[in-house]
Amino acid sequence: MPELPEVEVVRAGLAPAVSHARVLAVEVRDERALTRHALDGADFERALTGRTIAGTARRGKFLWLPLSPMPPATSPVDAVVGHLGMSGQILLREAGAPAERHERIRLDVEHPAHGVLAVVFADQRTFGSLAIDALVPTPDGAAGGFGMDAATVPHQAAHIARDPLDPAFPEAPFRARLARSGSAIKRVLLDQSVVSGIGNIYADEALWSARIHPETPARALPARAVTRLLAEVRAVLERALAEGGTSFDAQYVNVNGQAGYFAHSLNAYGRTGEPCARCGRPIVRVSFMNRSSHFCAHCQKARGL
């Protein structure tokens, strides 16, 4: 499933092509791609056609395109919200380009500098979605997400915590939450109401880098271990961003259809049986929350269990 690095790569790729572009036409080819939209495909098409996209923003795995306001409003009050689910793709194509495989929704937009382009939402497994959603104020008054300065966030993403790369990430409350929690640290890292965007792959990688066993109770971590973990989470996410995200198959691609290559830099996730890059012992895999955890049993000692 695409996580913070993959969604941020898509957001950054969209930004120069759609910011200040006017939506000329909208075609909903499969209404299963509108599961988060309040009404039907005809409403989505009608509400979006003719609007101007003010920019691009992201929080965790949600990205959104704020829409320029309709008078008398002076700032965006709603946005197109996208969630990629397990296999969603947002692609930029030339105007009139043939339909993509698994294409669900297409927007034709006209950009002042780039002319007419097609923005295609394709999704093989149909767990992803687009929607038009109201923007609501952020409780802390800080920017709602990466890419925009406005202190607003889509209503359906308002419950999502800030991510560790967000300048407004509330580090002190995060530390306090860990100190109170008896849950496994990996479970806490995957809780989107506590911290967003990390995901299974990056949790395994950060815990390996920080030498922390994934089932260690969060409250058993001393302050210095939490400091080390946060540093490694940020480092892993930044490296993944620099390498275009993680692609194991053709499901995750950027807006140009290109795969990320961070999979070649992984130290734990997907390395079952391979030697640990630190100690040479084999990486092990265990079941965790209907998924899997990958770690080095020698380097990542279990404590407080």
Side-chain angles (χ1 to χ4, degrees), residues 196-220:
S196 67
I198 297 175
N200 201 44
I201 294 173
Y202 302 112
D204 280 356
E205 290 300 298
L207 289 167
W208 180 88
S209 295
R211 298 176 181 247
I212 295 172
H213 193 286
E215 295 181 8
T216 301
R219 64 188 176 201

Side-chain angles (χ1 to χ4, degrees), residues 125-148:
R125 301 183 185 180
T126 67
F127 292 122
S129 66
L130 299 182
I132 297 176
D133 192 29
L135 294 170
V136 298
T138 56
D140 58 8
F146 268 67
M148 296 290 287

Side-chain angles (χ1 to χ4, degrees), residues 51 67-78:
R51 303 290 297 277
L67 299 169
S68 294
M70 305 289 284
T74 57
S75 59
V77 297
D78 59 359

